[in-house]
Amino acid sequence: MAKTVKLWPPLTEEMVIPLHIGDQVLINGVIYTARDAAHKRLLDLITAGLNLPFEVKGQILYYVGPSPARPGRVIGAAGPTTASRMDVYTPTLLQLGLKAMIGKGRRSPEVIAALQQYKAVYLGATGGAGALLSQCITAAEVVAFPELGPEAIYRLEVRDFPATVINDCQGQDLYEVGIRQFARCRS
Amino acid sequence: MRQVHVHEVMQAVKEAVITANYELGADMVAAFERGQALEESPTGKEIFRQLLENARLAARERIPICQDCGLVVVFAELGQEVHLVGGDFNAAIQEGVRQGYKEGFLRKSLCHPLTRENTGDNTPAVIHLEIVPGEALKLSVVTKGGGSENASRVYLLKPAVGWAGIKEMVVATVQEAGAGTCPPIIVGVGIGGTFERAAILAKKSLLRDLRQANPDPELAALEAELLAAVNDLGIGPAGLGGRVTALGVHLLMQPCHIASLPVAVNLQCHAARHWEVIL
């Protein structure tokens, strides 16, 4: 039976292991954003043995490139981008202790295996609901790579940010299970 | 000959990109409402509720519908009795995009393909120009998101595969796209022409209002067959499983070479943003 769980990062293994596919999570506190270009920069820093601009251990990464904030607003639209473009970078970050990612769309078998190995989860937020999701963001600040514009790393403060567990530590995949339930074969 | 000043073109494009990004079309809102009623999955119903709320919120609070404010594609139908004056037509479109994305607080999502350096102003837009009879200039301005564009495909099929082969490739394209392309989607299909023409037909088919049937009854029947096949995949809203994977399939077709069967599938996420202006 799916449950609703409030999460406050930094997350520990004990907080992540009980999460199962289909569970709803409401995230509160600080999360970090990163898209393709930021991931590449992070991996370059790791390869060079340099420090990362934030502590990855226990954190949640949100795959998003927000639209600019109007004056007086915290942020523009801020929905998830396609996660598969980050697959190639993800296992390295999981090895460093990243505990969750928020995106949309399927992950690679390598990422799903790494989630089991390092005890972490992949969360889905509703793609294309960028205006709605922006309402859960109470503060936003660029913490690295400002030259990347919308692809910079932001530190976001969120309140009850809603997401669904798509891949859990047991190797399950909500997309597969959900689609199997509704697929029809006609010949 | 009727004169149209390119400044009007610039202004129209600027207003179109802003309007498209904040106000989802009435056809899409109606399709979400219909989808919410048809969808059997409770999760799917909830996704439709979120999409309706998102559209309302975007229009009311002036927040873009989606943070991916798109690459601008302009379909321009230029009446041959129109004389464009006052400057460069192409530059006017690009200036409209530049000003619209800046003043509208829209995300600039274009970059150099190799260095990945952002162009900073969301230009250049892609322009498809067609000369038509008459003295009007029609601009159809599309702001196309990257996720659904990435999952689009062009196939050069063997003519022997026929309709069954085309159907198989359309369904396979949607299946492969899965949740990443933000379902419920609209599937634009272009059949015939050449390698590039099929792709343009597929994209152009997406301009049609979702509430309007294909004017060609044969194509309308083929669209219905494709829609049923795509929805049998069970991908559902947000890819979480459900009956409504696509809100519509749009088809445009033209003759092709006797050796060829070009088929293009241009997927459109539910943030289907386009705005038409006639000058």
Side-chain angles (χ1 to χ4, degrees):
Chain A
M1 191 64 196
K3 56 189 179 293
T4 301
V5 181
K6 286 211 181 203
L7 290 180
W8 281 269
L11 306 179
T12 59
E13 247 184 60
E14 291 68 35
M15 291 157 89
V16 167
I17 289 171
L19 296 175
H20 292 116
I21 57 164
D23 287 349
Q24 300 294 311
V25 299
L26 295 169
I27 302 162
N28 286 274
V30 172
I31 62 175
Y32 292 91
T33 74
R35 288 176 48 102
D36 317 49
H39 270 80
K40 185 168 188 306
R41 298 277 184 101
L42 290 177
L43 268 285
D44 287 347
L45 290 173
I46 293 168
T47 308
L50 298 168
N51 285 336
L52 296 182
F54 64 97
E55 173 58 73
V56 169
K57 196 164 185 291
Q59 294 304 335
I60 301 177
L61 266 192
Y62 183 16
Y63 301 147
V64 58
S67 67
R70 281 180 183 277
R73 297 266 180 87
V74 169
I75 203 164
T81 193
T82 307
S84 61
R85 297 196 314 272
M86 269 51 83
D87 283 349
V88 61
Y89 307 112
T90 298
T92 308
L93 294 171
L94 291 173
Q95 196 179 1
L96 290 178
L98 180 70
K99 279 286 162 248
M101 297 143 289
I102 311 165
K104 66 171 167 99
R106 282 188 296 254
R107 306 309 304 259
S108 66
E110 290 75 18
V111 169
I112 292 171
L115 292 173
Q116 290 176 265
Q117 187 181 350
Y118 301 114
K119 306 295 175 227
V121 289
Y122 169 55
L123 308 168
T126 304
L132 191 60
L133 288 167
S134 76
Q135 304 297 292
C136 305
I137 300 170
T138 57
E141 174 198 2
V142 173
V143 291
F145 320 132
E147 65 280 10
L148 295 179
E151 299 208 63
I153 294 186
Y154 287 72
R155 176 187 185 275
L156 303 180
E157 286 177 33
V158 296
R159 191 166 51 215
D160 284 343
F161 185 98
T164 306
V165 180
I166 303 289
N167 296 110
D168 58 23
C169 305
Q170 285 77 47
Q172 298 192 91
D173 186 336
L174 181 64
Y175 289 137
E176 240 175 60
V177 173
I179 291 169
R180 205 183 305 135
Q181 203 183 334
F182 286 94
R184 281 200 270 230
C185 213
R186 294 182 210 198
S187 50
Chain B
M1 209 163 203
R2 184 171 162 254
Q3 291 198 341
V4 173
H5 199 286
V6 294
H7 183 74
E8 285 181 63
V9 173
M10 190 279 284
Q11 204 61 32
V13 170
K14 174 179 158 178
E15 285 164 18
V17 296
I18 294 176
T19 308
N21 268 292
Y22 288 99
E23 293 170 30
L24 198 60
D27 59 334
M28 290 305 298
V29 173
F32 289 169
E33 285 166 351
R34 199 175 57 240
Q36 193 179 24
L38 286 175
E39 183 53 63
E40 292 169 22
S41 149
T43 312
K45 273 188 190 295
E46 164 59 18
I47 298 293
F48 276 116
R49 189 198 62 77
Q50 291 177 15
L51 298 185
L52 284 165
E53 198 184 332
N54 187 65
R56 275 193 294 269
L57 191 69
R60 194 178 67 224
E61 300 292 327
R62 306 308 280 172
I63 308 167
I65 294 160
C66 177
Q67 72 289 338
D68 180 354
C69 301
L71 180 155
V72 180
V73 182
V74 178
F75 285 93
E77 289 179 14
L78 178 64
Q80 62 190 25
E81 307 302 331
V82 175
H83 182 204
L84 291 164
V85 296
D88 180 333
F89 175 66
N90 176 68
I93 291 177
Q94 304 301 351
E95 186 58 26
V97 171
R98 193 172 288 121
Q99 291 191 16
Y101 274 71
K102 183 163 189 282
E103 291 175 29
F105 297 94
L106 304 177
R107 196 183 81 184
K108 291 83 183 166
S109 308
L110 267 67
C111 69
H112 185 286
L114 302 181
T115 67
R116 311 305 292 177
E117 190 185 339
N118 199 296
T119 66
D121 58 8
N122 217 52
T123 68
V126 172
I127 302 167
H128 300 295
L129 177 64
E130 210 177 326
I131 309 290
V132 298
E135 54 176 27
L137 168 60
K138 183 179 180 190
L139 299 170
S140 301
V141 180
V142 183
T143 64
K144 188 71 166 71
S148 57
E149 195 71 358
N150 278 346
S152 300
R153 299 285 181 266
V154 178
Y155 304 98
L156 281 303
L157 300 177
K158 290 193 168 55
V161 303
W163 172 248
I166 294 170
K167 187 172 163 184
E168 190 185 324
M169 296 324 287
V170 172
V171 172
T173 304
V174 176
Q175 181 154 40
E176 195 193 337
T181 194
C182 285
I185 57 173
I186 306 168
V187 185
V189 182
I191 303 175
T194 50
F195 173 72
E196 85 286 4
R197 185 67 190 158
I200 293 171
L201 288 175
K203 178 148 280 142
K204 203 173 178 182
S205 77
L206 295 169
L207 294 173
R208 198 177 90 213
D209 189 301
L210 261 177
R211 295 165 295 191
Q212 282 170 0
N214 194 314
D216 179 331
E218 272 181 47
L219 292 186
L222 295 176
E223 286 179 355
E225 189 183 333
L226 287 176
L227 181 62
V230 163
N231 282 336
D232 280 349
L233 287 170
I235 294 169
L240 297 170
R243 294 279 168 240
V244 188
T245 301
L247 302 167
V249 176
H250 290 184
L251 191 53
L252 282 175
M253 187 157 76
Q254 72 174 57
C256 55
H257 192 282
I258 51 172
S260 308
L261 179 52
V263 176
V265 185
N266 196 198
L267 300 182
Q268 172 63 61
C269 61
H270 57 71
R273 293 152 294 177
H274 54 97
W275 191 254
E276 281 74 35
V277 192
I278 296 173
L279 296 175

